[in-house]
Amino acid sequence: MGKQQKLEQISYLYIKDQIIQGLWLPGHHIVESNISTKLDMSRSPIRAALAVLSEEGTIEMRPYRGFYVNEKLSKDVLVPFRLRYFIICYFRLMDRIVKSRTNGRSCAEQLTVELNKLKAAFDHKNYEECAQLEMAIFKKLLSLANHQFLVDEALLCYESVVTKVHKNLSSASASTQENYQRRNIIYLEDIITLISRDKFDETRTICELLAMHQYRQLSAKEQNAFDHASPYLIK
C-alpha cells in the first residue's frame, strides 16, 4: 500500500466516519480546506477520496459549488468501519514515527511500565481496567507521531471497537473472556518488543493481527459489514 493511497484512505475514512456518526447530515457542505488542516495533508488525496465517495453515492458533486453529503448512513456499521479506520490511522502514524527517527528503547521502557500494570489487572481479572490500560499504551505509543488529531481519531476508533467487544463478551464464559484478554496482552507485548528494537514498521503486522483478533469477537452481522467494506479500503 503506497503512501499516497494511505492518505487517500485516511481522508475517505474520516469523511465517512463523520457521516456515519450523523455529524454531517444530507446537504452538509464538505470543505476541503478544513479536512486538509485537520489531517495535515494536501488537498490531492482528499479530492481522490471525495471522488470515490461520490462514485459510491454517499456524497454528490455540485458543479461550481463543491461536494455535499447525499445520504444518511446507518450507525450499525460504525464499529466494523472504525476497526478499519484504526488500522489505517495506525499505519499512517507509524510512517510519521519512522520518519522522525524516534529512539524506540526509551519509549519502550515507558510502555513496559503500562504493560506491567495491564498484566497485574489481568491477573486480578479486572477486564474493565485492562481495557483502560490498553488505551493508555496506545496513547503513549501513537503520541510519538506528533499528530494529535490523528492520534485522537485512532484512539476513538480503538475504544469503540474494544467497548463493543467487551459488550459482546459480557455473557461469554469466564475462560473465553480470559483468553480474549490474554491474546490482547500478547500482541501488545510483541509490539513493545519490536519498538525496543526500533522496528516500528514491523509493528504494523502485529497491529493487523490484533485487529483481526477484535474482528473475531464481533457479531456475524458486524463481521459481514467489515468484510464488505469498500474495495477502496482493502486494495
Side-chain angles (χ1 to χ4, degrees), residues 60-72:
E60 65 174 333
M61 196 279 285
R62 299 177 184 175
Y64 308 108
R65 296 180 63 189
F67 289 92
Y68 292 78
V69 176
N70 190 44
E71 62 178 359
K72 186 175 182 179

Side-chain angles (χ1 to χ4, degrees), residues 73-129:
L73 300 177
S74 172
K75 288 188 177 182
D76 291 343
V77 303
L78 183 62
V79 170
F81 178 83
R82 281 188 163 174
L83 183 54
R84 285 201 180 277
Y85 193 7
F86 168 72
I87 296 170
I88 300 299
C89 284
Y90 185 95
F91 281 15
R92 175 57 180 154
L93 291 167
M94 286 304 105
D95 284 342
R96 292 178 63 91
I97 292 173
V98 170
K99 186 176 180 179
S100 68
R101 298 183 179 180
T102 299
N103 184 320
R105 183 172 298 176
S106 60
C107 59
E109 291 173 357
Q110 299 172 12
L111 292 170
T112 299
V113 171
E114 298 298 327
L115 180 65
N116 288 335
K117 293 178 184 177
L118 173 57
K119 290 179 178 178
F122 174 73
D123 289 340
H124 289 90
K125 302 187 185 303
N126 189 338
Y127 301 135
E128 183 176 343
E129 185 178 358

Side-chain angles (χ1 to χ4, degrees), residues 4-215:
Q4 185 69 10
Q5 187 178 19
K6 279 181 285 189
L7 293 179
E8 292 172 10
Q9 288 181 334
I10 287 173
S11 303
Y12 173 97
L13 288 159
Y14 167 71
I15 295 166
K16 203 160 187 177
D17 188 69
Q18 301 304 299
I19 298 171
I20 293 173
Q21 288 186 77
L23 298 177
W24 294 358
L25 297 172
H28 174 85
H29 181 208
I30 301 171
V31 182
E32 291 178 27
S33 59
N34 291 347
I35 301 172
S36 176
T37 299
K38 287 180 181 294
L39 299 181
D40 188 24
M41 64 176 68
S42 70
R43 295 192 187 185
S44 295
I46 296 168
R47 287 170 182 159
L50 289 168
V52 173
L53 286 161
S54 180
E55 289 175 8
E56 292 179 358
T58 303
I59 66 174
E60 65 174 333
M61 196 279 285
R62 299 177 184 175
Y64 308 108
R65 296 180 63 189
F67 289 92
Y68 292 78
V69 176
N70 190 44
E71 62 178 359
K72 186 175 182 179
L73 300 177
S74 172
K75 288 188 177 182
D76 291 343
V77 303
L78 183 62
V79 170
F81 178 83
R82 281 188 163 174
L83 183 54
R84 285 201 180 277
Y85 193 7
F86 168 72
I87 296 170
I88 300 299
C89 284
Y90 185 95
F91 281 15
R92 175 57 180 154
L93 291 167
M94 286 304 105
D95 284 342
R96 292 178 63 91
I97 292 173
V98 170
K99 186 176 180 179
S100 68
R101 298 183 179 180
T102 299
N103 184 320
R105 183 172 298 176
S106 60
C107 59
E109 291 173 357
Q110 299 172 12
L111 292 170
T112 299
V113 171
E114 298 298 327
L115 180 65
N116 288 335
K117 293 178 184 177
L118 173 57
K119 290 179 178 178
F122 174 73
D123 289 340
H124 289 90
K125 302 187 185 303
N126 189 338
Y127 301 135
E128 183 176 343
E129 185 178 358
C130 284
Q132 295 170 357
L133 288 165
E134 284 183 45
M135 295 301 301
I137 289 172
F138 274 118
K139 184 175 182 179
K140 283 184 179 293
L141 167 59
L142 299 179
S143 293
L144 296 171
N146 194 28
H147 192 316
Q148 192 58 54
F149 181 80
L150 205 53
V151 169
D152 289 344
E153 289 290 285
L155 293 175
L156 180 64
C157 289
Y158 190 72
E159 184 176 29
S160 295
V161 173
V162 170
T163 297
K164 188 61 168 69
V165 167
H166 277 260
K167 182 179 179 180
N168 289 355
L169 292 177
S170 61
S171 58
S173 66
S175 63
T176 297
Q177 295 182 49
E178 182 178 343
N179 289 335
Y180 161 76
Q181 191 60 60
R182 179 183 290 110
R183 188 159 293 276
N184 278 4
I185 292 172
I186 290 171
Y187 288 134
L188 288 170
E189 193 167 29
D190 287 344
I191 287 174
I192 293 171
T193 298
L194 287 169
I195 287 171
S196 69
R197 299 171 183 170
D198 292 330
K199 295 184 177 181
F200 289 94
D201 268 337
E202 283 83 345
T203 67
R204 301 168 199 248
T205 300
I206 309 301
C207 175
E208 287 187 298
L209 291 172
L210 175 61
M212 290 304 98
H213 175 54
Q214 308 300 342
Y215 163 88

